[in-house]
Amino acid sequence: KLEPIYFPKTFHWWRQLNSVAKLRDRFNEQQLSYIIPGANTGYLRGKGYVDNAYSRLTSLNLEELKKVSSQVS
């Protein structure tokens, strides 16, 4: 599952969510097939990339994710 994860020490949570929105808004399904994360790739178990990237980004509810930081605090 592709999803930004909030931790109490997450720095720039809103900036991270805005970056996800920019990726979603800038590309389309033909242009964005894969995402290669720059960090925390352990969950990929050697695959090294996330496939079906655009559909996974568009399935994220960024408005709900914005509420997460206020619920945890």
Side-chain angles (χ1 to χ4, degrees):
K1 182 175 176 179
L2 179 66
E3 184 174 79
I5 300 172
Y6 178 83
F7 293 101
K9 292 185 178 185
T10 298
F11 193 68
H12 293 301
W13 175 241
W14 291 84
R15 189 178 293 176
Q16 290 178 40
L17 295 179
N18 288 337
S19 292
V20 170
K22 285 179 184 178
L23 283 172
R24 180 200 60 207
D25 297 343
R26 180 176 179 176
F27 297 102
N28 62 44
E29 194 167 359
Q30 291 76 34
Q31 296 170 318
L32 190 62
S33 299
Y34 302 99
I35 291 178
I36 301 172
N40 199 12
T41 59
Y43 78 96
L44 294 173
R45 296 191 181 99
K47 193 171 183 181
Y49 61 90
V50 176
D51 54 0
N52 301 318
Y54 185 77
S55 63
R56 292 177 192 236
L57 283 180
T58 55
S59 71
L60 293 174
N61 186 338
L62 297 180
E63 293 307 313
E64 284 298 314
L65 288 170
K66 287 179 182 178
K67 296 177 186 177
V68 169
S69 62
S70 61
Q71 294 171 355
V72 174
S73 300

